Amino acid sequence: MTEELEDITLIEEDEEQGVLYEHLRMEVDRGQEPVRIDKYMSEHVQHSSRNRIQKAADAGFIQVNGKPVKSNYKVRPGDVITLMLDRPHYDTTIEPEDIPLEIVYEDDQLMVINKPAGMVVHPGCGNFHGTLVNAIAWHLRDLPAYDPNDPSVGLVHRIDKDTSGLLVIAKTPEAKTELGAQFFNHDTHRSYHALVWGNLTEDTGRIEGNIGRDPKDRLRMAVFPPGSEIGKSAITHYKVLERYGYVTLVECRLETGRTHQIRAHMKHIGHPLFGDERYGGTEILRGERTASYKAYIQNCLKLCNRQALHAKTLGFVHPVTGEQMDFTSELAEDMAALVDKWRKYVCNLGIL
């Protein structure tokens, strides 16, 4: 049961709901007093959390007597509760796999890794092998205290499959608890480099807006008014680094860490990430409509076949020593080549 509920957030983010498959069935005891289903399940399903159960219910994955219910539904004696997911049951036990890792820093408490674009962070949603946690499990296979299937160790935060850059991994429960608290309280320092469509009017800016599932496309996130009951509050600060006329290289600093936050926020202000197919970034949004320019853009998209987003810096306080730890990574090769191609393009044409 741990595996199914631990994987709910990944399914919600990456899969489109269609045919549902039963992953859990339980019947409410005859003497049970009425209680919210999220509370009931969090108390009766091992290693589950109320927050994850609420997300599963909101996504339509929890049913009572064959019908989807919200997290505030109150269970009654004899109710049959089922967890219905949009993939067949799969053994999500994490097995070590010999996959190269770029380790930026490591000690007995944590690791900082520079993840390549294209690598899924955690098994799920059709990606059950070749993930970052499989690679970590192999790297730490001789560490008896590290169990890759124990949620009290491992990933502290995540980045998208097609985003490159820095991640921190906890080797001990104590380190994960302390680092997790820093992320939750926004005490960490994270910045990303992104190539976005358009020439931003201001050199710096602040984007604030709740981020939640797009009601028209559940594979995307949408931005809703601050303070709205829809979604979760999110704040992104951006700073222009270089301008290339039709696209701009920006630094984005996160106050919060929501799903697709930078991608959704930049789309919201009219500057989608270059190459971000899900948010319209593979369309030609700026520039001439000449055949040569269209060919140039297609070459750019082939050069960096993903959203142009890189987790550039990561800073946090060491969970044991109390030392401030700050890390910086170079742009991934494909994104660095893309940026260089735009530099040469505007220089040759004298656009700026």
Side-chain angles (χ1 to χ4, degrees), residues 308-332:
L309 182 63
H310 178 77
K312 177 75 171 174
T313 70
L314 174 63
F316 54 85
V317 175
H318 194 281
V320 173
T321 68
E323 178 187 359
Q324 177 64 40
M325 311 288 287
D326 293 297
F327 302 93
T328 300
S329 62
E330 296 299 322
L331 288 182

Side-chain angles (χ1 to χ4, degrees), residues 186-250:
H186 314 311
D187 293 330
T188 58
H189 305 285
R190 287 181 289 167
S191 71
Y192 293 69
H193 281 193
L195 188 71
V196 304
W197 277 104
N199 195 0
L200 283 78
T201 303
E202 304 293 334
D203 288 336
T204 61
R206 179 179 186 273
I207 311 168
E208 181 175 4
N210 285 16
I211 291 181
R213 190 67 51 189
D214 188 333
K216 297 180 181 179
D217 182 354
R218 55 174 269 103
L219 296 180
R220 300 195 313 182
M221 306 303 286
V223 180
F224 302 91
S228 170
E229 294 183 358
I230 305 175
K232 296 182 179 180
S233 63
I235 298 173
T236 303
H237 300 268
Y238 68 82
K239 179 175 69 174
V240 171
L241 299 177
E242 294 184 53
R243 298 178 183 272
Y244 309 122
Y246 304 137
V247 297
T248 305
L249 183 65
V250 298

Side-chain angles (χ1 to χ4, degrees), residues 113-117 159 163-167 309-312 329 332:
I113 292 173
N114 191 25
K115 185 188 83 69
I159 58 178
T163 298
S164 54
L166 297 172
L167 284 164
L309 182 63
H310 178 77
K312 177 75 171 174
S329 62

Side-chain angles (χ1 to χ4, degrees), residues 26-43:
M26 58 193 304
E27 184 173 346
V28 179
D29 297 336
R30 291 184 179 181
Q32 176 65 48
E33 296 290 330
V35 63
R36 284 175 56 116
I37 194 168
D38 54 350
K39 184 175 187 296
Y40 180 84
M41 291 186 69
S42 67
E43 293 173 349

Side-chain angles (χ1 to χ4, degrees), residues 258-304:
R258 308 304 183 197
T259 302
H260 297 181
Q261 178 171 326
I262 293 172
R263 300 166 67 186
H265 267 173
M266 296 310 294
K267 164 76 172 179
H268 179 66
I269 65 170
H271 298 281
L273 270 61
F274 189 89
D276 192 348
E277 183 175 8
R278 185 165 291 177
Y279 290 88
T282 55
E283 301 295 326
I284 299 178
L285 302 178
R286 302 288 193 283
E288 303 296 328
R289 299 297 177 178
T290 62
S292 61
Y293 181 70
K294 290 179 180 179
Y296 169 76
I297 295 299
Q298 291 305 312
N299 288 334
C300 286
L301 293 171
K302 290 178 182 178
L303 186 62
C304 185

Side-chain angles (χ1 to χ4, degrees), residues 151-164:
S152 69
V153 294
L155 293 171
V156 180
H157 61 119
R158 298 173 181 176
I159 58 178
D160 295 333
K161 170 188 174 182
D162 289 327
T163 298
S164 54

Side-chain angles (χ1 to χ4, degrees), residues 95-121:
E95 299 292 343
E97 296 180 31
D98 188 4
I99 302 169
L101 287 173
E102 183 180 345
I103 299 172
V104 177
Y105 173 84
E106 182 175 12
D107 62 24
D108 60 349
Q109 296 294 317
L110 58 89
M111 300 168 59
V112 176
I113 292 173
N114 191 25
K115 185 188 83 69
M119 175 181 273
V120 176
V121 170

